[in-house]
Amino acid sequence: MRAARLIHLVLLLQTRGSMTATELAAKLEVSERTVGRDVLALSEAGVPVYAERGRAGGYRLVEGYRTRLTGLGRDEAEALFLSGVPAALRAMGLQDAASAARLKVSAALLPELRDASDSAAQRFHLDAPGWWQEPETPKLLPPVAEAVWGDLRLRVRYQCENAVVERELEPYGLVLKAGVWYLVARSDGELRVYRVDRVVEAEAVPGSGSGSGSGGARFERDPGVDLPAFWARHAAEFARSILRAEAVVRLSADGARRLPHVTDRAAAHEALAAAGPPDGQGWVTVTLRVEGLDVAYDQLLALGPEAEVVGPADLRERFTTAVERLAAIYA
């Protein structure tokens, strides 16, 4: 632990040039007294670090000194590729590895390029969750993420619709979709998707023999599994699978234009593409795939007088009732 801190201290000085004891203590999350002891230990080990007195003083390395301790470890290299998603890194417990990786990269750059990471961070930020919702990090995300990064078999208890079931999984990857974490894992030879917030217990399967790692039993990752491609297929299939009902709707030109904004976009475009020519009033009739009639009612109501529900009969009846109530209110 102390060795890693000493390396971190040297890299900070190499990157920043000069830092006060207070600044180093804040970065390393230790006391200023500990910083003093660490600097003394480095000096005794032959690292040319010295203190400058005065108001602008602080610790610095002898001009021209370059450490060779900038090689990235695997965990740091992997975390570096996620450094543009700081909230996700924190949620998975990878912020320390990412911070060390960024520092090592900065230390290896020419002085005039060392502000590149800060410059990029001030020009791009990813905010994954949707509006009007407060995302909550699942309590068991860190151990699940640890199993994903370590290729460790994972034993979980998972909340299904009506019961809690036990599964032994080969966790391939994590997906953050609109503020919700999903685990892509192989179970019984098939890739499946699990919501991490429905995992009620999670532990690595104890290791034994050559297939075990320091934290549990490891599995052989299938090199043919492409996580982004799998998720794209799964998301498309899921979106289509929930559209189990149909509604027949007449739309004005403005209603047709607005339809993709109030219902499933792909389903709306598909319905409009299959529609016949406009009638004598310039309206088109479409058959729209919807999640259910309750959902269709809420969505199509937003089109107001730019849409007429033709069927099913019970959905049309709901709109007839809504129109009568609106007429009574505005009369």
Side-chain angles (χ1 to χ4, degrees):
M1 187 70 175
R2 191 191 184 199
R5 190 175 71 242
L6 292 175
I7 293 172
H8 197 173
L9 192 156
V10 173
L11 291 174
L12 282 169
L13 294 179
Q14 184 171 310
T15 303
R16 307 288 178 85
S18 176
M19 296 182 70
T20 67
T22 302
E23 291 170 336
L24 285 168
K27 281 289 184 181
L28 300 172
E29 298 181 349
V30 296
S31 67
E32 293 184 29
R33 180 173 295 181
T34 298
V35 170
R37 287 198 295 263
D38 286 350
V39 169
L40 180 60
L42 287 170
S43 182
E44 291 175 348
V47 177
V49 57
Y50 66 95
E52 288 184 325
R53 305 291 182 184
R55 180 180 301 178
Y59 293 106
R60 68 167 54 243
L61 296 168
V62 168
E63 189 71 27
Y65 176 80
R66 303 281 296 175
T67 177
R68 297 184 180 273
L69 299 174
T70 53
L72 292 177
R74 169 170 288 275
D75 58 338
E76 295 167 344
E78 290 172 336
L80 183 61
F81 287 98
L82 289 173
S83 58
V85 197
L89 283 169
R90 287 193 299 272
M92 291 187 289
L94 296 174
Q95 67 270 31
D96 290 341
S99 176
R102 287 193 298 271
L103 188 59
K104 288 184 178 182
V105 170
S106 296
L109 293 173
L110 294 173
E112 62 267 25
L113 299 178
R114 287 178 186 164
D115 66 342
S117 61
D118 290 336
S119 176
Q122 294 305 317
R123 287 164 171 79
F124 175 76
H125 174 69
L126 176 63
D127 185 8
W131 293 104
W132 305 298
Q133 59 179 340
E134 283 293 328
E136 292 186 6
T137 300
K139 293 181 179 179
L140 294 177
L141 178 60
V144 171
E146 182 179 355
V148 169
W149 291 110
D151 294 341
L152 301 176
R153 296 183 183 276
L154 193 63
R155 185 175 293 131
V156 303
R157 298 183 70 239
Y158 187 76
Q159 179 67 59
C160 292
E161 290 185 6
N162 300 315
V164 175
V165 298
E166 292 188 3
R167 295 284 186 270
E168 186 169 311
L169 308 175
E170 296 178 353
Y172 270 74
L174 287 162
V175 176
L176 178 59
K177 170 71 171 179
V180 180
W181 287 91
Y182 297 90
L183 171 67
V184 176
R186 193 184 295 280
S187 176
D188 298 327
E190 182 179 347
L191 280 179
R192 295 186 171 91
V193 176
Y194 303 85
R195 281 185 59 138
V196 179
D197 57 3
R198 294 181 184 171
V199 176
V200 295
E201 288 183 19
E203 63 176 359
V205 175
S208 62
S210 59
S212 63
S214 59
R218 301 190 63 185
F219 67 92
E220 286 296 324
R221 183 176 284 266
D222 181 355
V225 174
D226 183 327
L227 180 63
F230 169 81
W231 181 260
R233 292 194 302 271
H234 170 79
E237 291 168 2
F238 176 76
R240 291 191 63 84
S241 70
I242 64 174
L243 303 179
R244 302 186 181 96
E246 290 184 345
V248 180
V249 188
R250 286 183 71 238
L251 298 165
S252 69
D254 190 48
R257 180 184 62 80
R258 292 167 51 193
L259 184 65
H261 301 286
V262 301
T263 186
D264 181 83
R265 186 176 295 271
H269 286 306
E270 182 180 300
L272 290 168
D279 59 21
Q281 296 177 304
W283 289 47
V284 295
T285 300
V286 302
T287 300
L288 178 69
R289 290 170 57 85
V290 293
E291 185 175 343
L293 298 187
D294 288 340
V295 174
Y297 174 79
D298 291 334
Q299 293 174 338
L300 296 175
L301 197 62
L303 295 178
E306 306 304 324
E308 176 194 357
V309 173
V310 178
D314 53 349
L315 181 59
R316 181 179 175 86
E317 180 62 31
R318 289 184 65 178
F319 273 86
T320 301
T321 302
V323 169
E324 291 172 350
R325 292 174 61 194
L326 281 170
I329 291 172
Y330 287 101

